[in-house]
Amino acid sequence: MTYLSLMRQRFSQRNPAIDPVPWELDDKYTAYEFVSSLGYKVPRYIRTETVGAALEAGMQLGDRFVVKQPNRHSTKGVYILQRLAANRFLELLSFKELTASDIKADGPEPDYWLAEECLPSLVSGRPLPFDYKIYAFRGQVSHITQIDRNVQPPRVAVFDGAFIPLVLGSHYTIDVSRWLLGHHVLPKYAGAMLEMAAALSRSLDTRFVKVDCFDGPDGPVFGEFTFASGGDDVGMIRYEESFLNTLNGAIHGEGISAVSGFDIDIPSFAKSLDSEPTIATDQAVLRLLSAGAVQGDRRYAPALIQRLRRSANRPVFELAANVIGVLNGDHSRAFSVQAAVRQGSSYLVGTSRLDEFENMALEFHDGRAENNPWHRSRAAEVRVAAGDLTQVAVLRDLAADGYEHARRVMAKYGEGSL
C-alpha cells in the first residue's frame, strides 16, 4: 500500500480491518470536544439546530464570524461573514454580499449547524487567518501546506516537518488551475503548532491524519481533522519521487526525515518543541512583518531572525528564515545557510545541501567582489571554510589594508593556524 493508494481507499471504501480510522472525528463538533478534552484550543463555537439560529448565534460572537455546516470539508458549506448592516453580510471567501436567505446548506441538510468566532489574522491586510495543514503519521510530521484563502485562486506554500520551506518544481508541483504559489510565512506559534499536531496524531489509532490549524494570537487553534486528503488524491499537489517515498514509508511506520533534504534530526527536534511562541514580538509588529512576507519582502528574513525566541531549536527556525530569504530572491542569505549547515547544531546534524548553498553564496559574492572588500572577504571566507587555504592571502591583504571584517574572519579561524 502506498500513501496515494491509502487516500484513494479512504475515499472509495472504508476498510477498518486494514486501515482503522476514527471517522466519528470527521464530525466537527465531536472533533472540537475531543481536542478540547486534550487541552488544546478550538475556536469559540455555538451548536444550533438550524442555519437561522446559527446566524443569530454568530452575531453574538462579533461583527465577523463563521457559519458552518459540519458534514462538509474544506470551504464547502462554510460562510465567513462580515456584518455590514441588518440582514446584510459580506461573505469573505466569495466576496459576495448575502442576506440571511442566501445562507443555506451545500448538499444534504446537516443534523446541526455551528456558529464560530472568526479568528483574528496575524497578517496585516489579510482578514482571514492562513490555514496550516499539518500532515501527521502516528505522531510524526512530514510536511505542512500553508493556504491563503484571502485571494482566488488561493495561494499555497509548503514546508517540511520542521518548517523549512520546500521549493516548487523541486519538491512538489501544484495544479495552477486550482492554486497559485504563495510566499512562506512562518507562524508565530510554529513550534507549538507542530507539537499540537503531533500530539493529536499520537492520540488517534490511525496511520495518517491531516491536522488543520490556525496561528492564533495566544497559540495554535485547531480547525479540523482530515483523514482523506482530497488535494493529494486529485492531484492539486504532486510530490517528487523521494518525497513520495517518504510518505509511502510513513504510512507503514517508518521514520520521517526532513523532506527539504537538510540533515535535521527530526525526532530530537520534535522533542524540543513546546507551547511558547516561536516568534517573540509585539503582535502589531508581527502583523506588519508577515504582511511583507506575503509579498516576498526581502527584509523579512533578517527581521524575522531578530525576533525568534531564544531556545534550543532556534537554529532550525533561523535556517528556515534564511531559506525563505533565498526563495524571496535575497541570495545574500545563502552565506548564512551554508555557514549553518557547515557548523551544525544540536538538531542540524549533517552537511546535505551544503554544496548548493555554498555555490550560491560564491556566485552572489564573486559577482560583486570587484573593488568591494565586503564581498571579496565573504567569498574568501566561504572558500577558506571549505578548505581552500589559498584564500587566506586574500583575507590577509584585506586585513593589512585595515578592513575590519577581514581581521575578524582571520581571528575567527585563528590567524596563526591559517
Side-chain angles (χ1 to χ4, degrees), residues 141-304:
V141 172
S142 61
H143 63 293
I144 307 110
T145 55
Q146 166 200 297
I147 302 178
D148 175 9
R149 301 189 191 279
N150 289 280
V151 289
Q152 287 295 332
R155 303 307 194 257
V156 64
V158 187
F159 301 86
D160 76 1
F163 267 109
I164 305 297
L166 301 183
V167 181
L168 181 70
S170 296
H171 298 112
Y172 67 98
T173 59
I174 57 175
D175 180 351
V176 294
S177 70
R178 306 283 293 276
W179 281 341
L180 292 180
L181 181 65
H183 292 282
H184 296 84
V185 181
L186 190 71
K188 176 181 180 179
Y189 284 93
M193 200 177 277
L194 292 173
E195 187 280 328
M196 179 180 79
L200 291 174
S201 172
R202 282 193 299 271
S203 71
L204 306 177
D205 182 22
T206 192
R207 297 171 188 256
F208 163 79
V209 64
K210 188 162 60 176
V211 182
D212 296 6
C213 52
F214 304 95
D215 194 26
D218 302 311
V221 181
F222 172 82
E224 66 179 1
F225 290 120
T226 302
F227 296 104
S229 181
D232 294 17
D233 183 57
V234 303
M236 290 174 66
I237 183 168
R238 296 291 191 198
Y239 306 105
E240 58 84 25
E241 184 177 4
S242 65
F243 193 161
L244 192 56
N245 287 338
T246 296
L247 302 181
N248 293 339
I251 66 167
H252 296 290
E254 295 179 11
I256 296 176
S257 58
V259 293
S260 61
F262 288 103
D263 291 322
I264 298 171
D265 182 348
I266 293 291
S268 297
F269 170 73
K271 290 178 182 177
S272 76
L273 301 172
D274 56 32
S275 61
E276 295 300 311
T278 298
I279 305 171
T281 190
D282 178 87
Q283 187 168 308
V285 173
L286 177 64
R287 293 182 75 245
L288 293 172
L289 186 65
S290 298
V294 170
Q295 302 298 324
D297 191 338
R298 294 184 183 182
R299 298 172 299 176
Y300 178 63
L304 175 60

Side-chain angles (χ1 to χ4, degrees), residues 9-263:
Q9 175 179 284
R10 287 186 173 186
F11 276 109
S12 61
Q13 60 180 8
R14 299 177 179 183
N15 191 336
I18 297 175
D19 179 35
V21 176
W23 290 109
E24 66 276 8
L25 293 176
D26 227 21
D27 177 79
K28 292 178 173 57
Y29 176 78
T30 304
Y32 284 170
E33 293 285 289
F34 174 77
V35 170
S36 296
S37 74
L38 296 179
Y40 293 105
K41 293 182 176 69
V42 301
R44 289 184 298 145
Y45 64 93
I46 301 169
R47 176 173 170 161
T48 69
E49 293 186 3
T50 67
V51 63
L55 190 58
E56 290 294 326
M59 287 187 282
Q60 298 174 25
L61 298 173
D63 286 336
R64 184 179 294 167
F65 59 94
V66 183
V67 170
K68 182 182 294 184
Q69 66 178 96
N71 60 339
R72 302 290 277 167
H73 277 286
S74 189
T75 59
K76 295 178 180 178
V78 175
Y79 299 89
I80 305 177
L81 301 171
Q82 176 72 48
R83 190 179 186 186
L84 301 176
N87 195 32
R88 186 163 153 258
F89 307 91
L90 177 64
E91 204 287 303
L92 294 177
L93 289 172
S94 64
F95 242 54
K96 294 179 179 179
E97 290 193 22
L98 305 178
T99 65
S101 62
D102 298 316
I103 300 169
K104 58 187 71 173
D106 181 347
E109 188 73 26
D111 294 333
Y112 66 92
W113 287 81
L114 289 174
E116 298 178 6
E117 65 174 325
C118 182
L119 295 166
S121 170
L122 298 187
V123 183
S124 184
R126 291 294 204 266
L128 305 182
F130 286 10
D131 189 356
Y132 290 89
K133 298 179 179 292
I134 302 178
Y135 290 65
F137 301 79
R138 298 190 187 278
Q140 297 188 92
V141 172
S142 61
H143 63 293
I144 307 110
T145 55
Q146 166 200 297
I147 302 178
D148 175 9
R149 301 189 191 279
N150 289 280
V151 289
Q152 287 295 332
R155 303 307 194 257
V156 64
V158 187
F159 301 86
D160 76 1
F163 267 109
I164 305 297
L166 301 183
V167 181
L168 181 70
S170 296
H171 298 112
Y172 67 98
T173 59
I174 57 175
D175 180 351
V176 294
S177 70
R178 306 283 293 276
W179 281 341
L180 292 180
L181 181 65
H183 292 282
H184 296 84
V185 181
L186 190 71
K188 176 181 180 179
Y189 284 93
M193 200 177 277
L194 292 173
E195 187 280 328
M196 179 180 79
L200 291 174
S201 172
R202 282 193 299 271
S203 71
L204 306 177
D205 182 22
T206 192
R207 297 171 188 256
F208 163 79
V209 64
K210 188 162 60 176
V211 182
D212 296 6
C213 52
F214 304 95
D215 194 26
D218 302 311
V221 181
F222 172 82
E224 66 179 1
F225 290 120
T226 302
F227 296 104
S229 181
D232 294 17
D233 183 57
V234 303
M236 290 174 66
I237 183 168
R238 296 291 191 198
Y239 306 105
E240 58 84 25
E241 184 177 4
S242 65
F243 193 161
L244 192 56
N245 287 338
T246 296
L247 302 181
N248 293 339
I251 66 167
H252 296 290
E254 295 179 11
I256 296 176
S257 58
V259 293
S260 61
F262 288 103
D263 291 322

Side-chain angles (χ1 to χ4, degrees), residues 336-382:
S336 297
V337 174
Q338 63 85 34
V341 172
R342 188 184 302 282
Q343 180 179 338
S345 67
S346 298
Y347 308 114
L348 192 57
V349 294
T351 57
S352 293
R353 300 189 68 179
L354 174 60
D355 288 348
E356 172 189 349
F357 286 95
E358 183 180 273
N359 290 335
M360 189 183 297
L362 288 173
E363 182 179 356
F364 178 82
H365 291 293
D366 282 344
R368 296 161 174 80
E370 187 174 357
N371 300 320
N372 190 308
W374 165 253
H375 290 293
R376 287 180 65 199
S377 63
R378 277 298 219 198
E381 183 176 356
V382 172

